[in-house]
Every structure is written in structure tokens, then in C-alpha cells.
Amino acid sequence: MNSTGRPATLADVAKRAGVSVATASFVLSGRGGARSSGSPETKAKVRGAAEELGYVPNRNARSLRTGRSGGIVLALGTVEDPWGLSLAGAVRDRALPEDLSTLILGDERWFEFLSGSAFDCSFVTSVDVTPEGPEQVRHLARGQGGIVAFSERIQPERFDVISSSAQPAVHAAYRRLRARHDSVAFMTGRAIDPERRPYYPSRAHAFLDAASEAGDAPGDDLVHASGTDRQQSFEYSQRWLEGPDRPTAVICSTGYLALALQVAAMHAGISVPDDLEIISIGDVPSDAQMLGPISYYGVQDVFARMADIIVGRALDREGSPGRLHRFDWEFFPGGTTVDGADGA
Amino acid sequence: MNSTGRPATLADVAKRAGVSVATASFVLSGRGGARSSGSPETKAKVRGAAEELGYVPNRNARSLRTGRSGGIVLALGTVEDPWGLSLAGAVRDRALPEDLSTLILGDERWFEFLSGSAFDCSFVTSVDVTPEGPEQVRHLARGQGGIVAFSERIQPERFDVISSSAQPAVHAAYRRLRARHDSVAFMTGRAIDPERRPYYPSRAHAFLDAASEAGDAPGDDLVHASGTDRQQSFEYSQRWLEGPDRPTAVICSTGYLALALQVAAMHAGISVPDDLEIISIGDVPSDAQMLGPISYYGVQDVFARMADIIVGRALDREGSPGRLHRFDWEFFPGGTTVDGADGA
DNA sequence: CTGTTAGCGCTTTCAG
DNA sequence: CTGAAAGCGCTAACAG
């Protein structure tokens, strides 16, 4: 490994090996290990020179030329959400053997960032939170890399779409708990904000629909906004459980809320599931659970399936016209409900 | 926004605006908004054409030319660690106003990935886990972008180094608790593995040193490996707290272990801090705490300080010879120790 | 103030 | 089987 000056270029390697740039390129990047790559002797010389110089191909130049970058980028909107991290882990595990790097975009300006780049595949989650989301995705699809969009309101075109609505799950959870309780409450992080409302019905909306569909009263007071961080949720849960309108059945809009509620119940001496049943919409990462599994609605093998789609797109050069992948939610019974594994 | 064909190139824009490529480039990328950019009329034409065509510069081409990419990449080694995510959040907040994107590299092949690329700044955490780490960092530093390395065994050269050893903190924590207890235990995730040992002393090693320095017995049995995920840690804590050698003072090697222990203590009816004192090495993200603040040793404003260094490097074109940033750990009293805010 | 020109480092025909 | 040359899209000198 040479230790002076700027990084070695292919031309440097070629010169040192006494061959032309083209040959060097052929040996190093073309099917080097496989068939028909050059005379064994030349190969050795080139390889040796590259090694000595610590040569490493400039990815910008290569991408510029080929239109591919050897990378997958996950535009998750936010980095704080553990859901995205689980996905990232699954993608990484599948991408690594294919020699694809996995990157997470940490900010929310996915459109600006992705427009300029040429990744093998870009995955976009926050299509549905702005009005222009779908249009932007279509625009990106004109570029070179593959696109996978996580959305409930866009049709596949030259990109794949993963559609995974929690709405049926919320309805099912409501029916399931309502069958055993006079009243079912809903716990969410942030109150419904009519201003910055996403362009699809939120889980809280689904809950309200489910309640009125079941013939229950307006139910606005059944929606509890507990705050976004865990301490807030925990303290809210404590007050709630020790207050006058203590619930006996709660649907939590995320796994972490369910976790906070579960711990608060233990703290308050309330027995779960006997005196309080909890269902989470979306699973709780197993390594975050402390008091045993929480009953939840979720998608079987979500991360593995999504990772397959994303990596598949990345590997698919010039391909498929775009598929719609619809994910269905099922009930996974845990220790926070009384029921066994029978369906909704 | 044009909706057909491949992405518009600068040449397309120039042609449509009736100017040359150079002029278009000048207007669009050179100090467009600021002074001396071209005649108002041309500017308008070019801007208009770009708008109509939905032009967006190809970042690969630009980077190839300029050697800068408009991005910061954080090579965290793993995505699962919340520490890295907090850092990512802090970096993103500072980078966004400067028009820098923040990326997280999701896999552990940082060297391979970074060698090929030209980011404005790369941050590498796992320098100390392999023997060749430092050499690789030096090699990267020959490239175009800035580098910030998180390491306790490398000297700054043409890159910055952040050195933040937990060792003194472990010693201080030991002394602090030992002053009030006959025996102080240590809780860690993974047992000390002499095989794949990192190339620096681990926190568990520091604990053993601290014990023998205080004149205490070997203490190997004071090190408790509780497993890596939270459920395991929680269950381990439960067994431990309800078993025969129940501790009265514990140092936890990470914040999440302290959290599990705290919850387990509550569960077992053990009063914290009266019957059990807990000190965490490293802080617990505030949004993960449920039972109130945990006493810990940590670095004041770690994430903000690190983010400043990283973004600073990214903005610093052709610059500083490399600085060593040494981070000192302090005690932050919370609800899991009996002491107030007095020093160690 | 705008246009011409020369590359950045790489891959890829196309000849030899 | 190897070399010469073109060009990906963009920017930065230098002319005009």
C-alpha cells in the first residue's frame, strides 16, 4: 500500500504494470475472476500493481460511466424510528453478499438528495406525507436506479410499490377487544393534527371509524395522546391507569407505546391481561421487550420481505415494469391479551 | 416538470435556454443567487429552462469534477446502536442548514466503501476493533474528503481524532460506589471474549483494574454478563436480584443495561437507590427512560460537540492539519444513586 | 458577460 | 489478447 500523495488512479496502475488503461480496467473490473479476462501473466502484473499502490476505483467515475453505484439507499425520513433500523438490518444482511452497500439517509429531503444520485435502488418511505410525494417519485423513476416506494396512494409505474395499510388491523383489533369489553381505548403519541395531516387516514382515524362502525359513541375521548417520548408515555400511562377512567382494553398505535403501558401497568399493580388487555399495532422489536411478548397486529416477516424486494430491485438491471406488493396484517397473540392463536 | 425520457442534462437546459453549457452551469451552480452571476435576463432564461425540464444536476458528475459531494457519511459499524442514532440526529441538524446531506453507512465495511467515494466528511467509529484500523484511516485521509476518526489509539494526521475513553469514568464510578458499599458489581452485555477482543481495553477490563487498584479481591465473579438483548438483560437482572448474591451497587457498562436493571428492581420491589445503587457508563437517551433519570458518567453535550467537529471538517476545504479532541467524562447524578452533584 | 475547450477517472466499443 | 480513443455530465480555465 503506497503511502504518499493522492489516491492511485487506474492510469497509475496501468503505467506501473506496463499495460494500457483499458487492459487494467478489464482485468480489475470486468469479469476478472471468471472467464476470458486476459492472459494469466498480465492479470498477475495488474493485480500486483494495484495491490502495491493501494488502488481503489473511484466510485464517482465508475457510476458516472455505468449509471450504477453499488449502493442501496433507504430514505426513512427519520433516523429515530426503530422500524427503519430493523429494516436497514435486514437489507444489509441481504445486500452485503451481493456487494452492495446499504446507506440510510438521515434527513427528510429525500427528493433533493435522490434526484442527483444514481443508486442501484432507493427506498422511500415518506411518499404519503406531502401532496407532491407521488409526483416526485415518478420523477425519480426517470433516473437510472431502481425505486421502491412505501405508499398507500401511488400506483407502480416503473418502480415497485409496497402497500401496507394498518387500517384493517385497527378495525380487527377493535372488534377483537370490543367482544370482551364495554369500552376500548386508543393510545397514540401525537394528537390528531388537522394541519400537518398526512395524505392518508392515520391510525387514530381508523380507530374512530372502527368505533362508529361497531355502533359505539363518538369516542373522541377514547383517543389518548400520550406524548412522543417514552418517559412522557410512561407517565401518561401511570396517571391514566391510576385515574378515574382507567381502561380495561387499549389499542396502542405503536409498539413502544404498548411497552410503556405494559411497564406502567406492572408498576401500578394491574394484572395484564386479566385486568388490562393491550394490543399493539405494529410489532415491538424483540430486543426492546422486557416483560415478555406483547400481542400485536403486524405483517409476517415484514423486514425480510421488504428487504427482498429492495435488494431485488437493486440487482434487476433494466427490468420489471413495476409491481405492487400488498402486505396483509395478521394478529400475533402475546402475553397481553387473553386469547390464543385463533383468528379475528 | 417534464415527464418523459431520461433525466434532463445540463446540455438540454442550455440548448433550451439558447445559451452554452458553461453559462448554464455558471448560473445554476456558481454563486447563482449572489453577486456577479450573469445578466438578469440570461439568468431568468436558464432558470426557467431548468425548471421546465425538471433539471437536477448529476451528483456523480459534479463530484467527479469537484472532488466534493455535498454529503457527510457516518460509518457507525452497526445501525442497531442508539448511540449512533443520537449522533446522526445531531449531525443532521447542523448539516442541513449548510446543505449537506447526512448518510449512515449500515454495514461494517467502512474502509471498502469510503475508499471509493468522495464525501465532504466521513466519520469512522470502529477504528479500534481491528488491527489494521489506523492504517486504513491514514489511507483514507489521502483521499479528497475530510475524515474524523473515533479512536483511542490513533494520532491525528491529516484528519481529526476524537478520543473519549470511558476508563477513568469506570474507575471513578467504582470509587464512588465502593465508598458506600462493601462490594460493587459490574454488569455488561457480552462476556469478555479473549478471541475477538478489540484492540483497546474494554470497560469490563477497566472495572477489574479499578477493583484491584482499590485493593479488592480478584473480582472476576463480580462481572455479570447478562446477554445482549433487552429481554435477556431484564431476565438476568430479575434472577440476580432475587437470588442469593443480590448486589447493592452496580455499574452498568451501557445505559440500556441500567434501564433493564432499574425496571427489574422495581419489579422485584427493591428500592432504588436505597437498597440498590446503579451507575451507568454512558447516558441513556432521554426518550428511552421510563422510571426517571439514571445516574451516569458521560460527556457533556457529546453529540453536539461531535457534530460540530464533523460538520466543521466537512465545511473546511483544504484545511487544518488535524486536531485531537479529547472528551472528558463527568458524573451526572440521577435518581439511582444517593449522592447529590458533588464530585468523584 | 458568454462561449470554447479541456479534462475529472472510469468503462467500452472498435481496431490491431 | 491488448491498445487507442470516445465519452458519461459537469466545472473551471481561458478566450473572445
PDB file of all heavy atoms in Angstrom, chain A residues 4 8 31-32 43 51 56 67 102 119 131 133 138 141 152 154 205 220 233 254 285 287 300 314 324 331 339:
ATOM      1  N   THR A   4       2.032   7.752  -0.043  1.00  0.00           N
ATOM      2  CA  THR A   4       2.222   9.179  -0.306  1.00  0.00           C
ATOM      3  C   THR A   4       1.211   9.693  -1.319  1.00  0.00           C
ATOM      4  O   THR A   4       0.579   8.933  -2.027  1.00  0.00           O
ATOM      5  CB  THR A   4       3.621   9.453  -0.872  1.00  0.00           C
ATOM      6  OG1 THR A   4       3.730   8.809  -2.143  1.00  0.00           O
ATOM      7  CG2 THR A   4       4.693   8.932   0.054  1.00  0.00           C
ATOM      8  N   ALA A   8      -4.265   6.476  -5.781  1.00  0.00           N
ATOM      9  CA  ALA A   8      -3.824   5.960  -7.071  1.00  0.00           C
ATOM     10  C   ALA A   8      -4.991   5.871  -8.045  1.00  0.00           C
ATOM     11  O   ALA A   8      -6.101   5.522  -7.663  1.00  0.00           O
ATOM     12  CB  ALA A   8      -3.212   4.584  -6.879  1.00  0.00           C
ATOM     13  N   ARG A  31     -15.148  -9.053 -15.678  1.00  0.00           N
ATOM     14  CA  ARG A  31     -15.179 -10.371 -15.040  1.00  0.00           C
ATOM     15  C   ARG A  31     -13.776 -10.898 -14.754  1.00  0.00           C
ATOM     16  O   ARG A  31     -13.312 -11.831 -15.403  1.00  0.00           O
ATOM     17  CB  ARG A  31     -15.914 -11.366 -15.925  1.00  0.00           C
ATOM     18  CG  ARG A  31     -17.321 -10.995 -16.243  1.00  0.00           C
ATOM     19  CD  ARG A  31     -18.332 -11.683 -15.343  1.00  0.00           C
ATOM     20  NE  ARG A  31     -19.401 -10.785 -14.964  1.00  0.00           N
ATOM     21  CZ  ARG A  31     -19.298  -9.892 -13.979  1.00  0.00           C
ATOM     22  NH1 ARG A  31     -18.214  -9.767 -13.277  1.00  0.00           N
ATOM     23  NH2 ARG A  31     -20.292  -9.111 -13.677  1.00  0.00           N
ATOM     24  N   GLY A  32     -13.134 -10.292 -13.821  1.00  0.00           N
ATOM     25  CA  GLY A  32     -11.752 -10.648 -13.517  1.00  0.00           C
ATOM     26  C   GLY A  32     -11.561 -12.103 -13.156  1.00  0.00           C
ATOM     27  O   GLY A  32     -10.737 -12.796 -13.743  1.00  0.00           O
ATOM     28  N   LYS A  43      -2.722 -10.484 -16.011  1.00  0.00           N
ATOM     29  CA  LYS A  43      -3.593 -10.371 -14.848  1.00  0.00           C
ATOM     30  C   LYS A  43      -2.765 -10.207 -13.582  1.00  0.00           C
ATOM     31  O   LYS A  43      -3.022  -9.325 -12.767  1.00  0.00           O
ATOM     32  CB  LYS A  43      -4.484 -11.628 -14.721  1.00  0.00           C
ATOM     33  CG  LYS A  43      -5.660 -11.620 -15.642  1.00  0.00           C
ATOM     34  CD  LYS A  43      -6.835 -12.476 -15.170  1.00  0.00           C
ATOM     35  CE  LYS A  43      -6.463 -13.873 -14.740  1.00  0.00           C
ATOM     36  NZ  LYS A  43      -7.606 -14.800 -14.913  1.00  0.00           N
ATOM     37  N   GLU A  51      -2.388  -3.706  -6.079  1.00  0.00           N
ATOM     38  CA  GLU A  51      -2.158  -4.008  -4.669  1.00  0.00           C
ATOM     39  C   GLU A  51      -1.120  -3.064  -4.073  1.00  0.00           C
ATOM     40  O   GLU A  51      -1.339  -2.403  -3.063  1.00  0.00           O
ATOM     41  CB  GLU A  51      -1.703  -5.468  -4.552  1.00  0.00           C
ATOM     42  CG  GLU A  51      -1.459  -5.939  -3.142  1.00  0.00           C
ATOM     43  CD  GLU A  51      -2.772  -6.145  -2.401  1.00  0.00           C
ATOM     44  OE1 GLU A  51      -3.833  -6.246  -3.069  1.00  0.00           O
ATOM     45  OE2 GLU A  51      -2.731  -6.176  -1.173  1.00  0.00           O
ATOM     46  N   VAL A  56      -7.853   1.798  -5.470  1.00  0.00           N
ATOM     47  CA  VAL A  56      -9.259   1.519  -5.256  1.00  0.00           C
ATOM     48  C   VAL A  56     -10.033   2.392  -6.233  1.00  0.00           C
ATOM     49  O   VAL A  56      -9.773   3.578  -6.347  1.00  0.00           O
ATOM     50  CB  VAL A  56      -9.660   1.769  -3.789  1.00  0.00           C
ATOM     51  CG1 VAL A  56      -9.194   3.110  -3.320  1.00  0.00           C
ATOM     52  CG2 VAL A  56     -11.144   1.624  -3.616  1.00  0.00           C
ATOM     53  N   GLY A  67     -23.730   4.370 -14.607  1.00  0.00           N
ATOM     54  CA  GLY A  67     -25.069   4.678 -14.141  1.00  0.00           C
ATOM     55  C   GLY A  67     -25.479   3.861 -12.931  1.00  0.00           C
ATOM     56  O   GLY A  67     -26.626   3.898 -12.491  1.00  0.00           O
ATOM     57  N   THR A 102     -25.250  -0.586   2.025  1.00  0.00           N
ATOM     58  CA  THR A 102     -26.538  -0.075   2.462  1.00  0.00           C
ATOM     59  C   THR A 102     -26.340   1.250   3.178  1.00  0.00           C
ATOM     60  O   THR A 102     -25.556   1.337   4.121  1.00  0.00           O
ATOM     61  CB  THR A 102     -27.206  -1.061   3.444  1.00  0.00           C
ATOM     62  OG1 THR A 102     -27.272  -2.334   2.826  1.00  0.00           O
ATOM     63  CG2 THR A 102     -28.589  -0.589   3.802  1.00  0.00           C
ATOM     64  N   PHE A 119     -28.198   5.561  -7.299  1.00  0.00           N
ATOM     65  CA  PHE A 119     -28.046   4.353  -6.518  1.00  0.00           C
ATOM     66  C   PHE A 119     -28.712   3.195  -7.246  1.00  0.00           C
ATOM     67  O   PHE A 119     -29.575   3.405  -8.087  1.00  0.00           O
ATOM     68  CB  PHE A 119     -28.639   4.531  -5.126  1.00  0.00           C
ATOM     69  CG  PHE A 119     -27.846   5.472  -4.280  1.00  0.00           C
ATOM     70  CD1 PHE A 119     -28.187   6.813  -4.207  1.00  0.00           C
ATOM     71  CD2 PHE A 119     -26.749   5.027  -3.577  1.00  0.00           C
ATOM     72  CE1 PHE A 119     -27.445   7.691  -3.446  1.00  0.00           C
ATOM     73  CE2 PHE A 119     -25.996   5.894  -2.808  1.00  0.00           C
ATOM     74  CZ  PHE A 119     -26.346   7.221  -2.749  1.00  0.00           C
ATOM     75  N   PRO A 131     -48.228  16.398  -0.354  1.00  0.00           N
ATOM     76  CA  PRO A 131     -49.074  16.263  -1.553  1.00  0.00           C
ATOM     77  C   PRO A 131     -48.266  15.915  -2.799  1.00  0.00           C
ATOM     78  O   PRO A 131     -48.736  15.197  -3.665  1.00  0.00           O
ATOM     79  CB  PRO A 131     -49.741  17.631  -1.681  1.00  0.00           C
ATOM     80  CG  PRO A 131     -49.001  18.542  -0.773  1.00  0.00           C
ATOM     81  CD  PRO A 131     -48.325  17.713   0.254  1.00  0.00           C
ATOM     82  N   GLY A 133     -45.564  14.147  -3.027  1.00  0.00           N
ATOM     83  CA  GLY A 133     -44.819  12.890  -2.922  1.00  0.00           C
ATOM     84  C   GLY A 133     -44.875  12.004  -4.159  1.00  0.00           C
ATOM     85  O   GLY A 133     -43.844  11.687  -4.750  1.00  0.00           O
ATOM     86  N   ARG A 138     -42.393   9.611  -9.191  1.00  0.00           N
ATOM     87  CA  ARG A 138     -42.428   9.360 -10.632  1.00  0.00           C
ATOM     88  C   ARG A 138     -41.260  10.040 -11.330  1.00  0.00           C
ATOM     89  O   ARG A 138     -40.663   9.499 -12.246  1.00  0.00           O
ATOM     90  CB  ARG A 138     -43.764   9.859 -11.205  1.00  0.00           C
ATOM     91  CG  ARG A 138     -44.797   8.744 -11.282  1.00  0.00           C
ATOM     92  CD  ARG A 138     -46.138   9.250 -11.747  1.00  0.00           C
ATOM     93  NE  ARG A 138     -47.119   9.094 -10.672  1.00  0.00           N
ATOM     94  CZ  ARG A 138     -47.847  10.059 -10.145  1.00  0.00           C
ATOM     95  NH1 ARG A 138     -47.767  11.272 -10.591  1.00  0.00           N
ATOM     96  NH2 ARG A 138     -48.679   9.818  -9.166  1.00  0.00           N
ATOM     97  N   ALA A 141     -38.155   8.146 -10.873  1.00  0.00           N
ATOM     98  CA  ALA A 141     -38.136   6.889 -11.615  1.00  0.00           C
ATOM     99  C   ALA A 141     -37.591   7.072 -13.029  1.00  0.00           C
ATOM    100  O   ALA A 141     -37.256   6.111 -13.704  1.00  0.00           O
ATOM    101  CB  ALA A 141     -39.529   6.284 -11.662  1.00  0.00           C
ATOM    102  N   GLU A 152     -49.480   4.127   0.204  1.00  0.00           N
ATOM    103  CA  GLU A 152     -50.801   3.544   0.028  1.00  0.00           C
ATOM    104  C   GLU A 152     -51.583   4.298  -1.027  1.00  0.00           C
ATOM    105  O   GLU A 152     -52.754   4.030  -1.250  1.00  0.00           O
ATOM    106  CB  GLU A 152     -51.545   3.563   1.361  1.00  0.00           C
ATOM    107  CG  GLU A 152     -50.951   2.591   2.360  1.00  0.00           C
ATOM    108  CD  GLU A 152     -51.377   2.899   3.788  1.00  0.00           C
ATOM    109  OE1 GLU A 152     -52.511   3.385   3.980  1.00  0.00           O
ATOM    110  OE2 GLU A 152     -50.569   2.668   4.708  1.00  0.00           O
ATOM    111  N   ILE A 154     -50.070   5.426  -4.236  1.00  0.00           N
ATOM    112  CA  ILE A 154     -49.422   5.580  -5.536  1.00  0.00           C
ATOM    113  C   ILE A 154     -49.441   4.245  -6.261  1.00  0.00           C
ATOM    114  O   ILE A 154     -49.411   3.181  -5.636  1.00  0.00           O
ATOM    115  CB  ILE A 154     -47.974   6.102  -5.359  1.00  0.00           C
ATOM    116  CG1 ILE A 154     -47.365   6.517  -6.686  1.00  0.00           C
ATOM    117  CG2 ILE A 154     -47.102   5.069  -4.679  1.00  0.00           C
ATOM    118  CD1 ILE A 154     -45.990   7.139  -6.515  1.00  0.00           C
ATOM    119  N   HIS A 205     -57.525   7.857  13.108  1.00  0.00           N
ATOM    120  CA  HIS A 205     -58.749   7.956  12.308  1.00  0.00           C
ATOM    121  C   HIS A 205     -59.382   6.591  12.129  1.00  0.00           C
ATOM    122  O   HIS A 205     -60.592   6.417  12.246  1.00  0.00           O
ATOM    123  CB  HIS A 205     -58.442   8.549  10.931  1.00  0.00           C
ATOM    124  CG  HIS A 205     -58.167  10.009  10.963  1.00  0.00           C
ATOM    125  ND1 HIS A 205     -56.926  10.534  10.694  1.00  0.00           N
ATOM    126  CD2 HIS A 205     -58.967  11.058  11.251  1.00  0.00           C
ATOM    127  CE1 HIS A 205     -56.970  11.851  10.818  1.00  0.00           C
ATOM    128  NE2 HIS A 205     -58.196  12.191  11.152  1.00  0.00           N
ATOM    129  N   ASP A 220     -64.418  10.259  20.753  1.00  0.00           N
ATOM    130  CA  ASP A 220     -63.244  11.133  20.715  1.00  0.00           C
ATOM    131  C   ASP A 220     -62.446  11.079  22.014  1.00  0.00           C
ATOM    132  O   ASP A 220     -61.222  11.178  22.018  1.00  0.00           O
ATOM    133  CB  ASP A 220     -63.688  12.586  20.481  1.00  0.00           C
ATOM    134  CG  ASP A 220     -63.607  12.933  19.013  1.00  0.00           C
ATOM    135  OD1 ASP A 220     -64.105  12.130  18.199  1.00  0.00           O
ATOM    136  OD2 ASP A 220     -63.024  13.986  18.700  1.00  0.00           O
ATOM    137  N   SER A 233     -44.802   9.007  27.713  1.00  0.00           N
ATOM    138  CA  SER A 233     -45.804   7.948  27.535  1.00  0.00           C
ATOM    139  C   SER A 233     -45.983   7.159  28.814  1.00  0.00           C
ATOM    140  O   SER A 233     -47.094   6.806  29.196  1.00  0.00           O
ATOM    141  CB  SER A 233     -45.374   6.990  26.428  1.00  0.00           C
ATOM    142  OG  SER A 233     -45.107   7.693  25.252  1.00  0.00           O
ATOM    143  N   THR A 254     -48.429   2.317  18.410  1.00  0.00           N
ATOM    144  CA  THR A 254     -47.090   1.801  18.109  1.00  0.00           C
ATOM    145  C   THR A 254     -46.634   0.856  19.216  1.00  0.00           C
ATOM    146  O   THR A 254     -47.155   0.881  20.328  1.00  0.00           O
ATOM    147  CB  THR A 254     -46.021   2.918  18.009  1.00  0.00           C
ATOM    148  OG1 THR A 254     -45.734   3.385  19.330  1.00  0.00           O
ATOM    149  CG2 THR A 254     -46.470   4.058  17.136  1.00  0.00           C
ATOM    150  N   PRO A 285     -39.826  -4.445  18.536  1.00  0.00           N
ATOM    151  CA  PRO A 285     -38.589  -5.183  18.271  1.00  0.00           C
ATOM    152  C   PRO A 285     -38.279  -6.081  19.458  1.00  0.00           C
ATOM    153  O   PRO A 285     -38.334  -5.634  20.603  1.00  0.00           O
ATOM    154  CB  PRO A 285     -37.544  -4.079  18.131  1.00  0.00           C
ATOM    155  CG  PRO A 285     -38.289  -2.848  17.794  1.00  0.00           C
ATOM    156  CD  PRO A 285     -39.665  -3.004  18.352  1.00  0.00           C
ATOM    157  N   ASP A 287     -35.750  -7.161  20.807  1.00  0.00           N
ATOM    158  CA  ASP A 287     -34.694  -6.818  21.750  1.00  0.00           C
ATOM    159  C   ASP A 287     -35.042  -5.607  22.608  1.00  0.00           C
ATOM    160  O   ASP A 287     -34.251  -5.173  23.422  1.00  0.00           O
ATOM    161  CB  ASP A 287     -33.359  -6.637  21.032  1.00  0.00           C
ATOM    162  CG  ASP A 287     -33.342  -5.380  20.209  1.00  0.00           C
ATOM    163  OD1 ASP A 287     -34.402  -4.770  20.050  1.00  0.00           O
ATOM    164  OD2 ASP A 287     -32.258  -5.019  19.730  1.00  0.00           O
ATOM    165  N   GLN A 300     -46.294 -10.602   8.769  1.00  0.00           N
ATOM    166  CA  GLN A 300     -45.353 -11.701   8.910  1.00  0.00           C
ATOM    167  C   GLN A 300     -44.073 -11.415   8.121  1.00  0.00           C
ATOM    168  O   GLN A 300     -44.124 -11.113   6.926  1.00  0.00           O
ATOM    169  CB  GLN A 300     -46.015 -12.974   8.375  1.00  0.00           C
ATOM    170  CG  GLN A 300     -45.157 -14.211   8.451  1.00  0.00           C
ATOM    171  CD  GLN A 300     -45.367 -14.930   9.771  1.00  0.00           C
ATOM    172  OE1 GLN A 300     -46.512 -15.226  10.139  1.00  0.00           O
ATOM    173  NE2 GLN A 300     -44.290 -15.207  10.470  1.00  0.00           N
ATOM    174  N   ALA A 314     -32.547  -3.674  -6.773  1.00  0.00           N
ATOM    175  CA  ALA A 314     -31.176  -3.195  -6.957  1.00  0.00           C
ATOM    176  C   ALA A 314     -30.432  -4.086  -7.945  1.00  0.00           C
ATOM    177  O   ALA A 314     -29.617  -3.612  -8.740  1.00  0.00           O
ATOM    178  CB  ALA A 314     -30.440  -3.164  -5.629  1.00  0.00           C
ATOM    179  N   LEU A 324     -46.847  -4.143  -7.628  1.00  0.00           N
ATOM    180  CA  LEU A 324     -47.473  -3.706  -6.391  1.00  0.00           C
ATOM    181  C   LEU A 324     -47.416  -4.855  -5.391  1.00  0.00           C
ATOM    182  O   LEU A 324     -47.906  -5.952  -5.661  1.00  0.00           O
ATOM    183  CB  LEU A 324     -48.935  -3.317  -6.636  1.00  0.00           C
ATOM    184  CG  LEU A 324     -49.737  -2.936  -5.384  1.00  0.00           C
ATOM    185  CD1 LEU A 324     -49.176  -1.686  -4.736  1.00  0.00           C
ATOM    186  CD2 LEU A 324     -51.205  -2.736  -5.724  1.00  0.00           C
ATOM    187  N   PHE A 331     -52.848 -11.094  13.235  1.00  0.00           N
ATOM    188  CA  PHE A 331     -52.754 -10.981  14.685  1.00  0.00           C
ATOM    189  C   PHE A 331     -51.715 -11.954  15.224  1.00  0.00           C
ATOM    190  O   PHE A 331     -51.703 -13.125  14.859  1.00  0.00           O
ATOM    191  CB  PHE A 331     -54.114 -11.289  15.319  1.00  0.00           C
ATOM    192  CG  PHE A 331     -54.117 -11.162  16.812  1.00  0.00           C
ATOM    193  CD1 PHE A 331     -53.795  -9.957  17.428  1.00  0.00           C
ATOM    194  CD2 PHE A 331     -54.435 -12.245  17.615  1.00  0.00           C
ATOM    195  CE1 PHE A 331     -53.797  -9.830  18.814  1.00  0.00           C
ATOM    196  CE2 PHE A 331     -54.443 -12.130  19.004  1.00  0.00           C
ATOM    197  CZ  PHE A 331     -54.120 -10.922  19.592  1.00  0.00           C
ATOM    198  N   ASP A 339     -56.579 -14.049  24.521  1.00  0.00           N
ATOM    199  CA  ASP A 339     -56.864 -15.063  23.509  1.00  0.00           C
ATOM    200  C   ASP A 339     -55.656 -15.846  23.028  1.00  0.00           C
ATOM    201  O   ASP A 339     -54.512 -15.408  23.094  1.00  0.00           O
ATOM    202  CB  ASP A 339     -57.614 -14.504  22.293  1.00  0.00           C
ATOM    203  CG  ASP A 339     -57.244 -13.082  22.010  1.00  0.00           C
ATOM    204  OD1 ASP A 339     -56.236 -12.611  22.544  1.00  0.00           O
ATOM    205  OD2 ASP A 339     -57.983 -12.440  21.243  1.00  0.00           O
TER     206      ASP A 339
END
